Amino acid sequence: MKQKNQRTPEGLFTLMRRHPYLLTVLICIILLPFGLADRANITVWSCVYLGVVAGIVTIAAILLFNLGKDRFEKLILCGISLACIAACMMFIGFIKNKALAIAIIAVIIAAAAIAFIKINFEINDAVIIALLIALGIAIRFTYVLYTGVVDRQHDVADFTNTVGHAGYIKYWYENGLKLPDFDVRGYWQYYHPPFHHWLMAGFMKILTFLGVDFFKAGEASQILPMMYSSLTMIVSYRVFRMVRLKGTPLIAAMAIICFHPTFIIFGGSFNNDMLVMLFMMAAIMWGLRWYREPVMKNIIPLALCIGLGMMTKLSGWMVAPAVAFVFLVILIKNIKKPLKYIGQYAVFGVICIPLGLWWQVRNLLLYKVPLTYVPDLGASSPMYSGNMPLAERLFSFGNGQLDYIYGSITFVGAPFNEYNPTLALFKTAMFDECANAVNDTNFPQIRITGPILFWISVVLFLTCFVCFIVSMIRKSKNINGVERFYFALLFSVILFSYYSFSIAIPLSCSFNIRFTMPLIPLCAMGLAMTLQRTLDSKKAAATWFRRVMYAITAAFCAMSYLVYTQVGATM
């Protein structure tokens, strides 16, 4: 029997472990010229480009990681790989629906990679997680290809306008860093801090400088939110490893992040939600890292993450209370020698506060814009539900609300306006609620698969929620009591903020998972911690719990990939 080489697969994934952020950014940059991230621009030459890049990468991998026992076997591997790549590119080229072709090919390649590694090497956690992330990038790119500026967006308008997120990006594109000399409340969405819009405008400047048409460059800038969503997978993995998750529980948690519809949808959104999510997850990671090693080199990235997060969207502040808690704990532990930590807190404040609040303070001083200004459409809005009793809005789960499982706003074709923020979380997490929303009216091809995905997600995330609470209450080998309170406080602040906002501004558009996105990885973490705890139990109930949850998680991921491949099937 042939002895499997256990060294090479480790080498194959060393680059990803050491430089995951750089590698993810590089993948997104490589994908960009393939039609400039727009289905309308995918040509034969796009396919040739992608095939050449894939061929170069494949041959480099075979040579760099010494695949094949001799020169002849290396040549055979190169030949087979190049033939397969050519076949894939021809498939993409001849199939009218390019996005659908890419989604299908990604699954085939992943299956082939698993088979190849299993035959020649040992399958380990690194291999599986790397392939999950690769498929996660593939489904995000598929979504981006069939999603344009006016498709399933929040408050974006388009690049012919001067309002909305697209208009705001266009303002910075045309004016550089010249700050507005007008009250930002006069232009829809201009009240947002500008960091995300600066990046989008700067990226468009680079593309147009290279000769790309302005509107095509606008479409192509969608690759940045896709990159943020892809990087969120990496940051989530780092957080999961920091709480000592491993084995199949870690794989289950990562699978949820890789294929969760929220991160697919907002990976294709032109607004600032995905970037602030990335900064919040990075702040959670650095906050935990600083608590374990409270030194200056850890507090500076933490300050940058929170400051830049708030400079992207003010809701980035929601990480701050949990960070303040660990600051207080470390100060109390070192109360006899506090100067070292007070100095670090001063540096944190000098970096974080100006970054996070300069935009709001400027608008307050010049135009008396309230620091926490958010447009309120009020009772005149067709989405308003404030005339209903509060108890009904919060605790009513009947009245046919679950007969329609998609994001429910009447002016986007729903039969009623969503008024229950809890149900809205489950619905918008799977399908969002924006214009041209994902539902079985706009996309009849998901009439069967959509409800299956929804009800699987309800079971999965109710279980995740319970598991998170239990994991934060019970003592754990993974994290200590302070760290459990850190995560519990994060979760509580985000959830409390969501319900407070829903009550204060009772509009259907206020009830959206995009305001609570960090809860998704926290819930996935809670599930994985519970699954890992059951590994020490020999009880039949623990074994069955693991089997059932692994099956539900796998079904959720498969259905999510399928649904968001189907959504693009008619484009």
Side-chain angles (χ1 to χ4, degrees), residues 360-431:
Q360 282 75 19
V361 171
R362 173 189 181 272
N363 290 329
L364 173 67
L365 295 177
L366 292 180
Y367 304 107
K368 296 183 172 54
V369 180
L371 287 175
T372 58
Y373 171 77
V374 176
D376 184 359
L377 302 179
S380 62
S381 169
M383 297 181 288
Y384 186 74
S385 60
N387 54 337
M388 298 176 64
L390 180 60
E392 184 176 354
R393 284 190 277 140
L394 293 178
F395 303 114
S396 170
F397 298 96
N399 302 324
Q401 292 180 84
L402 287 172
D403 293 340
Y404 189 81
I405 60 169
Y406 305 99
S408 194
I409 298 179
T410 53
F411 71 74
V412 295
F416 63 93
N417 281 322
E418 203 72 60
Y419 57 86
N420 185 314
T422 304
L423 290 181
L425 277 182
F426 286 99
K427 293 180 180 183
T428 59
M430 295 300 105
F431 307 111

Side-chain angles (χ1 to χ4, degrees), residues 405-406 430-431 438-440 443-457 555-556 558-567:
I405 60 169
Y406 305 99
M430 295 300 105
F431 307 111
V438 176
N439 55 48
D440 57 14
F443 305 97
Q445 62 269 33
I446 68 166
R447 188 157 292 151
I448 296 174
T449 53
I452 293 173
L453 171 62
F454 176 76
W455 289 110
I456 290 174
S457 75
F556 168 77
M559 292 306 301
S560 176
Y561 195 98
L562 176 59
V563 165
Y564 280 90
T565 300
Q566 286 182 298
V567 168

